[in-house]
Amino acid sequence: MEREDPSARMSSRGQARPADLFTNPLNFIAEVHMREREICAMIDTIATNDVPNEADCAAVAAFLRCQLPRHLEDEELDLFPMMLARCDPEDDIGPVIEKLLHDRGHAAVDTPEILLVLDDGAAIKTGFDDVARAMFLAFASHSRRHLILENAIILPIARARLTAKDLKLMRQHMLERRGLDVLLARFAPPH
Ligand SMILES: [Fe+2]
């Protein structure tokens, strides 16, 4: 059987499709994680090429500026609190969420540094120095570790524990965060 190409489910700009938000918000979060994995691969390439690809630098900067902050809010303001409320004690989800939140504190410090380097047009033309390369590789490595935790532990437990009401509320908040709730209301069929 032919395997589905995950990138075919992305929009032409490589972002998770807003349409997926209209179905199950956990599927949308999983798609953002796939995009994040692609971004990590791009960061590795940027860090190891003599001269980085300008389009890759722009794509990584766009993801870190636009898509990632909303994704982090989706998880921190909706997904994680709902899981803490719904999970059984034997799920032992508290320490996992605590670790993710603690590590994100460090990522929040690193991201502006990464963006500063990615915005340096002169360095992109001549190649990044060793300090910047090491910073890129460390950032991608940390991000991958979080993705493993989120995909292997958080999302499967969320799918088992969150209720239809939770998912509806999460979907509504995610649409609002992206200004899509207004758009959806405008094109809703008349009652
Ligand atoms: Fe995530």
Side-chain angles (χ1 to χ4, degrees):
M1 198 177 76
E2 212 172 278
R3 283 173 65 88
E4 185 189 5
D5 173 8
S7 64
R9 290 157 60 199
M10 301 283 173
S11 74
S12 58
R13 286 179 301 162
Q15 296 189 353
R17 295 179 310 184
D20 292 311
L21 259 181
F22 302 153
T23 54
N24 184 332
L26 296 177
N27 290 347
F28 184 80
I29 288 176
E31 294 214 17
V32 176
H33 286 169
M34 280 201 292
R35 177 60 178 157
E36 201 174 343
R37 239 187 1 221
E38 291 173 357
I39 291 291
C40 286
M42 270 188 210
I43 292 175
D44 284 345
T45 307
I46 288 168
T48 47
N49 279 0
D50 288 341
V51 176
N53 178 294
E54 268 184 60
D56 282 357
C57 290
V60 171
F63 179 83
L64 295 181
R65 270 202 182 93
C66 305
Q67 202 170 3
L68 188 61
R70 286 173 182 163
H71 172 69
L72 296 180
E73 282 186 9
D74 293 340
E75 292 179 337
E76 290 169 16
L77 302 181
D78 287 303
L79 177 62
F80 293 166
M82 282 176 185
M83 289 187 74
L84 289 171
R86 297 284 178 219
C87 286
D88 291 338
E90 62 264 28
D91 292 329
D92 210 15
I93 204 68
V96 180
I97 290 177
E98 212 172 287
K99 176 173 173 37
L100 283 168
L101 292 175
H102 175 265
D103 288 355
R104 280 175 184 198
H106 292 287
V109 175
D110 295 341
T111 306
E113 290 281 316
I114 295 269
L115 284 170
L116 213 60
V117 175
L118 286 172
D119 286 344
D120 184 348
I124 291 174
K125 285 201 168 31
T126 56
F128 294 120
D129 62 25
D130 289 345
V131 175
R133 290 169 192 272
M135 184 170 68
F136 283 132
L137 291 174
F139 186 87
S141 167
H142 288 150
S143 300
R144 276 197 196 91
R145 276 214 297 272
H146 300 155
L147 280 173
I148 289 169
L149 273 185
E150 290 176 9
N151 285 337
I153 298 175
I154 296 285
L155 283 182
I157 295 179
R159 289 187 194 282
R161 300 288 185 224
L162 297 191
T163 64
K165 203 172 158 193
D166 292 333
L167 294 178
K168 192 176 171 200
L169 184 64
M170 188 189 302
R171 171 182 172 273
Q172 179 61 30
H173 289 164
M174 287 164 73
L175 288 167
E176 285 169 8
R177 227 163 257 137
R178 290 158 179 84
L180 293 171
D181 55 321
V182 178
L183 198 70
L184 197 62
R186 185 172 299 173
F187 292 103
H191 293 291

mmCIF file of all heavy atoms in Angstrom, residues 19-53:
data_model
loop_
_atom_site.group_PDB
_atom_site.id
_atom_site.type_symbol
_atom_site.label_atom_id
_atom_site.label_comp_id
_atom_site.label_asym_id
_atom_site.label_seq_id
_atom_site.Cartn_x
_atom_site.Cartn_y
_atom_site.Cartn_z
ATOM 1 N N ALA A 19 -7.831 24.237 7.939
ATOM 2 C CA ALA A 19 -9.009 23.377 7.824
ATOM 3 C C ALA A 19 -8.960 22.242 8.838
ATOM 4 O O ALA A 19 -9.991 21.777 9.320
ATOM 5 C CB ALA A 19 -9.114 22.813 6.415
ATOM 6 N N ASP A 20 -7.737 21.792 9.204
ATOM 7 C CA ASP A 20 -7.635 20.704 10.158
ATOM 8 C C ASP A 20 -8.118 21.111 11.540
ATOM 9 O O ASP A 20 -8.465 20.275 12.356
ATOM 10 C CB ASP A 20 -6.193 20.197 10.228
ATOM 11 C CG ASP A 20 -5.806 19.520 8.936
ATOM 12 O OD1 ASP A 20 -6.570 18.672 8.482
ATOM 13 O OD2 ASP A 20 -4.761 19.873 8.378
ATOM 14 N N LEU A 21 -8.088 22.428 11.770
ATOM 15 C CA LEU A 21 -8.585 22.929 13.050
ATOM 16 C C LEU A 21 -10.087 22.740 13.168
ATOM 17 O O LEU A 21 -10.646 22.729 14.242
ATOM 18 C CB LEU A 21 -8.298 24.426 13.147
ATOM 19 C CG LEU A 21 -7.111 24.858 13.966
ATOM 20 C CD1 LEU A 21 -7.011 26.357 13.955
ATOM 21 C CD2 LEU A 21 -7.257 24.361 15.392
ATOM 22 N N PHE A 22 -10.757 22.666 12.026
ATOM 23 C CA PHE A 22 -12.206 22.574 12.044
ATOM 24 C C PHE A 22 -12.676 21.172 12.426
ATOM 25 O O PHE A 22 -13.844 20.953 12.660
ATOM 26 C CB PHE A 22 -12.798 22.970 10.689
ATOM 27 C CG PHE A 22 -12.410 24.366 10.268
ATOM 28 C CD1 PHE A 22 -12.340 24.724 8.935
ATOM 29 C CD2 PHE A 22 -12.113 25.333 11.219
ATOM 30 C CE1 PHE A 22 -11.981 26.015 8.560
ATOM 31 C CE2 PHE A 22 -11.749 26.615 10.855
ATOM 32 C CZ PHE A 22 -11.680 26.959 9.525
ATOM 33 N N THR A 23 -11.765 20.221 12.416
ATOM 34 C CA THR A 23 -12.149 18.858 12.780
ATOM 35 C C THR A 23 -11.685 18.570 14.206
ATOM 36 O O THR A 23 -12.399 18.850 15.152
ATOM 37 C CB THR A 23 -11.592 17.848 11.768
ATOM 38 O OG1 THR A 23 -10.182 18.059 11.653
ATOM 39 C CG2 THR A 23 -12.250 18.015 10.416
ATOM 40 N N ASN A 24 -10.474 18.036 14.344
ATOM 41 C CA ASN A 24 -9.982 17.693 15.682
ATOM 42 C C ASN A 24 -8.739 18.528 15.993
ATOM 43 O O ASN A 24 -7.724 18.400 15.306
ATOM 44 C CB ASN A 24 -9.657 16.197 15.721
ATOM 45 C CG ASN A 24 -9.237 15.738 17.100
ATOM 46 O OD1 ASN A 24 -8.694 16.519 17.886
ATOM 47 N ND2 ASN A 24 -9.482 14.479 17.399
ATOM 48 N N PRO A 25 -8.779 19.372 17.043
ATOM 49 C CA PRO A 25 -7.626 20.235 17.325
ATOM 50 C C PRO A 25 -6.360 19.452 17.653
ATOM 51 O O PRO A 25 -5.256 19.948 17.437
ATOM 52 C CB PRO A 25 -8.090 21.068 18.532
ATOM 53 C CG PRO A 25 -9.234 20.340 19.119
ATOM 54 C CD PRO A 25 -9.870 19.576 18.011
ATOM 55 N N LEU A 26 -6.514 18.211 18.146
ATOM 56 C CA LEU A 26 -5.316 17.411 18.442
ATOM 57 C C LEU A 26 -4.613 16.992 17.146
ATOM 58 O O LEU A 26 -3.392 16.872 17.112
ATOM 59 C CB LEU A 26 -5.686 16.174 19.275
ATOM 60 C CG LEU A 26 -6.254 16.484 20.670
ATOM 61 C CD1 LEU A 26 -6.649 15.199 21.380
ATOM 62 C CD2 LEU A 26 -5.269 17.279 21.516
ATOM 63 N N ASN A 27 -5.393 16.793 16.072
ATOM 64 C CA ASN A 27 -4.769 16.493 14.770
ATOM 65 C C ASN A 27 -3.962 17.695 14.289
ATOM 66 O O ASN A 27 -2.889 17.552 13.704
ATOM 67 C CB ASN A 27 -5.831 16.161 13.720
ATOM 68 C CG ASN A 27 -6.495 14.831 14.005
ATOM 69 O OD1 ASN A 27 -6.009 14.063 14.826
ATOM 70 N ND2 ASN A 27 -7.599 14.574 13.327
ATOM 71 N N PHE A 28 -4.505 18.892 14.524
ATOM 72 C CA PHE A 28 -3.800 20.105 14.104
ATOM 73 C C PHE A 28 -2.484 20.237 14.885
ATOM 74 O O PHE A 28 -1.443 20.553 14.310
ATOM 75 C CB PHE A 28 -4.680 21.332 14.333
ATOM 76 C CG PHE A 28 -4.057 22.613 13.836
ATOM 77 C CD1 PHE A 28 -4.100 22.946 12.489
ATOM 78 C CD2 PHE A 28 -3.410 23.471 14.707
ATOM 79 C CE1 PHE A 28 -3.518 24.118 12.027
ATOM 80 C CE2 PHE A 28 -2.824 24.646 14.255
ATOM 81 C CZ PHE A 28 -2.885 24.965 12.904
ATOM 82 N N ILE A 29 -2.527 19.975 16.188
ATOM 83 C CA ILE A 29 -1.302 20.037 17.002
ATOM 84 C C ILE A 29 -0.282 19.021 16.466
ATOM 85 O O ILE A 29 0.913 19.328 16.341
ATOM 86 C CB ILE A 29 -1.629 19.781 18.497
ATOM 87 C CG1 ILE A 29 -2.360 21.015 19.062
ATOM 88 C CG2 ILE A 29 -0.367 19.495 19.308
ATOM 89 C CD1 ILE A 29 -2.834 20.881 20.501
ATOM 90 N N ALA A 30 -0.746 17.823 16.111
ATOM 91 C CA ALA A 30 0.164 16.800 15.563
ATOM 92 C C ALA A 30 0.783 17.279 14.249
ATOM 93 O O ALA A 30 1.961 17.019 13.971
ATOM 94 C CB ALA A 30 -0.592 15.492 15.349
ATOM 95 N N GLU A 31 0.009 18.009 13.431
ATOM 96 C CA GLU A 31 0.548 18.517 12.162
ATOM 97 C C GLU A 31 1.593 19.590 12.404
ATOM 98 O O GLU A 31 2.599 19.672 11.697
ATOM 99 C CB GLU A 31 -0.586 19.055 11.290
ATOM 100 C CG GLU A 31 -1.512 17.946 10.855
ATOM 101 C CD GLU A 31 -2.069 18.166 9.470
ATOM 102 O OE1 GLU A 31 -1.515 18.980 8.723
ATOM 103 O OE2 GLU A 31 -3.057 17.512 9.146
ATOM 104 N N VAL A 32 1.361 20.441 13.401
ATOM 105 C CA VAL A 32 2.365 21.461 13.730
ATOM 106 C C VAL A 32 3.655 20.775 14.188
ATOM 107 O O VAL A 32 4.763 21.205 13.854
ATOM 108 C CB VAL A 32 1.856 22.448 14.807
ATOM 109 C CG1 VAL A 32 2.953 23.434 15.208
ATOM 110 C CG2 VAL A 32 0.641 23.210 14.307
ATOM 111 N N HIS A 33 3.520 19.655 14.915
ATOM 112 C CA HIS A 33 4.713 18.915 15.345
ATOM 113 C C HIS A 33 5.491 18.373 14.145
ATOM 114 O O HIS A 33 6.714 18.364 14.151
ATOM 115 C CB HIS A 33 4.316 17.757 16.260
ATOM 116 C CG HIS A 33 3.903 18.214 17.630
ATOM 117 N ND1 HIS A 33 3.304 17.403 18.543
ATOM 118 C CD2 HIS A 33 4.026 19.430 18.227
ATOM 119 C CE1 HIS A 33 3.071 18.078 19.653
ATOM 120 N NE2 HIS A 33 3.483 19.323 19.471
ATOM 121 N N MET A 34 4.763 17.928 13.108
ATOM 122 C CA MET A 34 5.451 17.444 11.896
ATOM 123 C C MET A 34 6.230 18.590 11.253
ATOM 124 O O MET A 34 7.361 18.434 10.808
ATOM 125 C CB MET A 34 4.443 16.887 10.894
ATOM 126 C CG MET A 34 4.007 15.483 11.229
ATOM 127 S SD MET A 34 3.344 14.624 9.798
ATOM 128 C CE MET A 34 1.850 15.521 9.508
ATOM 129 N N ARG A 35 5.587 19.761 11.222
ATOM 130 C CA ARG A 35 6.257 20.941 10.647
ATOM 131 C C ARG A 35 7.481 21.312 11.487
ATOM 132 O O ARG A 35 8.526 21.676 10.954
ATOM 133 C CB ARG A 35 5.267 22.113 10.579
ATOM 134 C CG ARG A 35 5.843 23.406 10.068
ATOM 135 C CD ARG A 35 6.388 23.260 8.665
ATOM 136 N NE ARG A 35 6.910 24.508 8.137
ATOM 137 C CZ ARG A 35 7.809 24.588 7.154
ATOM 138 N NH1 ARG A 35 8.282 23.491 6.594
ATOM 139 N NH2 ARG A 35 8.216 25.751 6.711
ATOM 140 N N GLU A 36 7.342 21.181 12.814
ATOM 141 C CA GLU A 36 8.448 21.517 13.702
ATOM 142 C C GLU A 36 9.635 20.581 13.448
ATOM 143 O O GLU A 36 10.794 21.003 13.517
ATOM 144 C CB GLU A 36 7.964 21.403 15.162
ATOM 145 C CG GLU A 36 8.815 22.193 16.139
ATOM 146 C CD GLU A 36 8.240 22.176 17.553
ATOM 147 O OE1 GLU A 36 7.057 21.846 17.745
ATOM 148 O OE2 GLU A 36 9.007 22.477 18.479
ATOM 149 N N ARG A 37 9.328 19.318 13.152
ATOM 150 C CA ARG A 37 10.411 18.373 12.832
ATOM 151 C C ARG A 37 11.128 18.776 11.554
ATOM 152 O O ARG A 37 12.348 18.693 11.449
ATOM 153 C CB ARG A 37 9.846 16.965 12.699
ATOM 154 C CG ARG A 37 10.511 16.073 13.698
ATOM 155 C CD ARG A 37 10.237 14.622 13.670
ATOM 156 N NE ARG A 37 9.345 14.115 12.658
ATOM 157 C CZ ARG A 37 8.431 13.185 12.908
ATOM 158 N NH1 ARG A 37 8.286 12.734 14.113
ATOM 159 N NH2 ARG A 37 7.681 12.720 11.950
ATOM 160 N N GLU A 38 10.355 19.228 10.559
ATOM 161 C CA GLU A 38 10.974 19.711 9.308
ATOM 162 C C GLU A 38 11.860 20.923 9.594
ATOM 163 O O GLU A 38 12.931 21.069 9.016
ATOM 164 C CB GLU A 38 9.885 20.121 8.305
ATOM 165 C CG GLU A 38 9.079 18.968 7.755
ATOM 166 C CD GLU A 38 7.905 19.446 6.889
ATOM 167 O OE1 GLU A 38 7.690 20.672 6.763
ATOM 168 O OE2 GLU A 38 7.218 18.593 6.355
ATOM 169 N N ILE A 39 11.366 21.812 10.453
ATOM 170 C CA ILE A 39 12.122 23.017 10.796
ATOM 171 C C ILE A 39 13.444 22.639 11.480
ATOM 172 O O ILE A 39 14.493 23.220 11.207
ATOM 173 C CB ILE A 39 11.271 23.952 11.697
ATOM 174 C CG1 ILE A 39 10.106 24.544 10.897
ATOM 175 C CG2 ILE A 39 12.103 25.052 12.337
ATOM 176 C CD1 ILE A 39 10.481 25.541 9.807
ATOM 177 N N CYS A 40 13.390 21.622 12.361
ATOM 178 C CA CYS A 40 14.616 21.165 13.031
ATOM 179 C C CYS A 40 15.631 20.663 11.994
ATOM 180 O O CYS A 40 16.833 20.929 12.119
ATOM 181 C CB CYS A 40 14.310 20.043 14.026
ATOM 182 S SG CYS A 40 13.489 20.637 15.516
ATOM 183 N N ALA A 41 15.147 19.933 10.983
ATOM 184 C CA ALA A 41 16.052 19.439 9.935
ATOM 185 C C ALA A 41 16.659 20.617 9.172
ATOM 186 O O ALA A 41 17.844 20.610 8.822
ATOM 187 C CB ALA A 41 15.296 18.512 8.984
ATOM 188 N N MET A 42 15.838 21.646 8.923
ATOM 189 C CA MET A 42 16.347 22.849 8.230
ATOM 190 C C MET A 42 17.411 23.534 9.073
ATOM 191 O O MET A 42 18.425 23.990 8.553
ATOM 192 C CB MET A 42 15.208 23.844 8.004
ATOM 193 C CG MET A 42 14.486 23.669 6.707
ATOM 194 S SD MET A 42 13.338 25.077 6.524
ATOM 195 C CE MET A 42 12.072 24.290 5.592
ATOM 196 N N ILE A 43 17.177 23.612 10.385
ATOM 197 C CA ILE A 43 18.140 24.272 11.280
ATOM 198 C C ILE A 43 19.469 23.506 11.259
ATOM 199 O O ILE A 43 20.546 24.110 11.204
ATOM 200 C CB ILE A 43 17.573 24.370 12.725
ATOM 201 C CG1 ILE A 43 16.387 25.337 12.752
ATOM 202 C CG2 ILE A 43 18.653 24.826 13.697
ATOM 203 C CD1 ILE A 43 15.673 25.425 14.098
ATOM 204 N N ASP A 44 19.400 22.173 11.270
ATOM 205 C CA ASP A 44 20.636 21.371 11.192
ATOM 206 C C ASP A 44 21.401 21.693 9.910
ATOM 207 O O ASP A 44 22.620 21.820 9.917
ATOM 208 C CB ASP A 44 20.296 19.872 11.201
ATOM 209 C CG ASP A 44 19.926 19.370 12.582
ATOM 210 O OD1 ASP A 44 20.195 20.084 13.573
ATOM 211 O OD2 ASP A 44 19.372 18.260 12.672
ATOM 212 N N THR A 45 20.663 21.794 8.789
ATOM 213 C CA THR A 45 21.308 22.074 7.503
ATOM 214 C C THR A 45 21.921 23.467 7.516
ATOM 215 O O THR A 45 23.048 23.671 7.046
ATOM 216 C CB THR A 45 20.270 21.965 6.348
ATOM 217 O OG1 THR A 45 19.638 20.701 6.456
ATOM 218 C CG2 THR A 45 20.908 22.101 4.993
ATOM 219 N N ILE A 46 21.187 24.435 8.064
ATOM 220 C CA ILE A 46 21.698 25.810 8.167
ATOM 221 C C ILE A 46 23.002 25.815 8.979
ATOM 222 O O ILE A 46 23.960 26.505 8.642
ATOM 223 C CB ILE A 46 20.643 26.726 8.838
ATOM 224 C CG1 ILE A 46 19.475 26.979 7.882
ATOM 225 C CG2 ILE A 46 21.252 28.056 9.289
ATOM 226 C CD1 ILE A 46 18.261 27.633 8.537
ATOM 227 N N ALA A 47 23.021 25.000 10.049
ATOM 228 C CA ALA A 47 24.188 24.994 10.945
ATOM 229 C C ALA A 47 25.397 24.314 10.317
ATOM 230 O O ALA A 47 26.530 24.597 10.705
ATOM 231 C CB ALA A 47 23.824 24.291 12.249
ATOM 232 N N THR A 48 25.167 23.426 9.366
ATOM 233 C CA THR A 48 26.295 22.647 8.844
ATOM 234 C C THR A 48 26.761 23.094 7.447
ATOM 235 O O THR A 48 27.891 22.798 7.064
ATOM 236 C CB THR A 48 25.949 21.138 8.810
ATOM 237 O OG1 THR A 48 24.659 20.976 8.216
ATOM 238 C CG2 THR A 48 25.895 20.571 10.203
ATOM 239 N N ASN A 49 25.910 23.797 6.698
ATOM 240 C CA ASN A 49 26.335 24.286 5.379
ATOM 241 C C ASN A 49 27.340 25.434 5.530
ATOM 242 O O ASN A 49 27.225 26.238 6.448
ATOM 243 C CB ASN A 49 25.130 24.802 4.582
ATOM 244 C CG ASN A 49 24.374 23.666 3.917
ATOM 245 O OD1 ASN A 49 24.743 22.500 4.051
ATOM 246 N ND2 ASN A 49 23.304 24.001 3.223
ATOM 247 N N ASP A 50 28.295 25.507 4.609
ATOM 248 C CA ASP A 50 29.264 26.625 4.651
ATOM 249 C C ASP A 50 28.526 27.950 4.550
ATOM 250 O O ASP A 50 28.782 28.882 5.303
ATOM 251 C CB ASP A 50 30.265 26.494 3.488
ATOM 252 C CG ASP A 50 31.228 25.349 3.749
ATOM 253 O OD1 ASP A 50 31.327 24.943 4.925
ATOM 254 O OD2 ASP A 50 31.834 24.860 2.793
ATOM 255 N N VAL A 51 27.618 28.016 3.551
ATOM 256 C CA VAL A 51 26.794 29.224 3.377
ATOM 257 C C VAL A 51 25.336 28.771 3.447
ATOM 258 O O VAL A 51 24.929 27.897 2.681
ATOM 259 C CB VAL A 51 27.090 29.909 2.025
ATOM 260 C CG1 VAL A 51 26.158 31.100 1.826
ATOM 261 C CG2 VAL A 51 28.540 30.345 1.960
ATOM 262 N N PRO A 52 24.558 29.321 4.384
ATOM 263 C CA PRO A 52 23.180 28.845 4.534
ATOM 264 C C PRO A 52 22.276 29.264 3.376
ATOM 265 O O PRO A 52 22.540 30.269 2.706
ATOM 266 C CB PRO A 52 22.725 29.506 5.835
ATOM 267 C CG PRO A 52 23.565 30.711 5.972
ATOM 268 C CD PRO A 52 24.884 30.401 5.337
ATOM 269 N N ASN A 53 21.236 28.478 3.179
ATOM 270 C CA ASN A 53 20.244 28.793 2.165
ATOM 271 C C ASN A 53 19.322 29.893 2.711
ATOM 272 O O ASN A 53 18.750 29.745 3.793
ATOM 273 C CB ASN A 53 19.446 27.503 1.874
ATOM 274 C CG ASN A 53 18.354 27.721 0.867
ATOM 275 O OD1 ASN A 53 17.405 28.447 1.127
ATOM 276 N ND2 ASN A 53 18.498 27.092 -0.279
#
